[in-house]
Amino acid sequence: MRQLAEGYFDRQFIAMAHRGGPLLAENVGKENTLRAFENAWRLGYRHMETDVHLTKDGQLVAFHDAELERVTGRPGGIGEHSYAQLRDISVGGEPIPLMSELFEALPGARFNIDIKMDGAEEPLAHLVNWHQARHRVCVASFSSRRIRRFRRYMGARVATTVGPVGTSMTVGRVAAGPLAPPGLVYQVPEHHTVAGRPVRIVSPAFIDRVHRLGKFVHVWTVNQRADMERLIDWGVDGLIVDSIDVLKDVLVGRGLWDT
């Protein structure tokens, strides 16, 4: 765990550009594109958040939704298209990138990669190994099953997030000592809706509980300055944001900005 922490989690506070930071003026309408991530890099971000899907011909692309419509205006799903077909579809005039393109274009960047579909676990493991990027990634998923599958391929060589089941255990104060769930970091929203009712996940007590387990807390997606300030005061270890210029300003003011 220490070795993983010194690789991906290599700084006091992790500022993460969610999908490249789509609320940055230059990135509006260009989420999850190489251009968006390059703009975040130029702003000083070294940790990027993205999502991966498999194309019809088995290529891993950086894209959030299963369907193309919201960001491209085109019908159909990622898995219904070959990568060659996707190259003719743009996001704000920018191509949909392969995950391998992001590794190659930004060799100094760390990537938080959310596995968005079943079957992408093994290709992602192969890709990480091919690019010798084990120290550069943290792998997440809303599916505990996908996280378990990815760990079976990679073992403890790559940092992963605590899955939904482990998070529920910790929120419910079940996880402790030998019951601590696998994964190095909890990446969670401040609130989650259960049966139509908001349930608070992140609190000073939750953060303290996680830290006593020897793990980190990253909160998504935080875009208001007041929320950023409050969560940092509570002791979170990182924030995942769309408004990357606002978070940079907050961190510079606190002496936490580290590029």
Side-chain angles (χ1 to χ4, degrees), residues 213-232:
L213 293 173
K215 303 179 190 293
F216 303 100
V217 178
H218 296 167
V219 184
W220 54 264
T221 305
V222 185
N223 290 321
Q224 300 302 314
R225 179 183 293 267
D227 294 330
M228 296 173 185
E229 300 275 12
R230 174 174 47 78
L231 289 164
I232 294 170

Side-chain angles (χ1 to χ4, degrees), residues 71-133:
V71 296
T72 72
R74 298 281 290 271
I78 290 287
E80 299 168 9
H81 293 75
S82 68
Y83 183 63
Q85 292 170 322
L86 289 178
R87 292 301 286 183
D88 294 327
I89 300 173
S90 72
V91 180
E94 299 295 327
I96 297 170
L98 291 167
M99 189 65 226
S100 59
E101 290 180 297
L102 300 186
F103 281 140
E104 292 164 3
L106 297 168
R110 276 39 173 168
F111 287 95
N112 198 93
I113 303 172
D114 190 346
I115 303 174
K116 277 290 194 272
M117 66 181 296
D118 291 341
E121 305 92 346
E122 185 175 11
L124 179 59
H126 286 315
L127 189 69
V128 169
N129 282 329
W130 175 260
H131 286 278
Q132 299 181 348

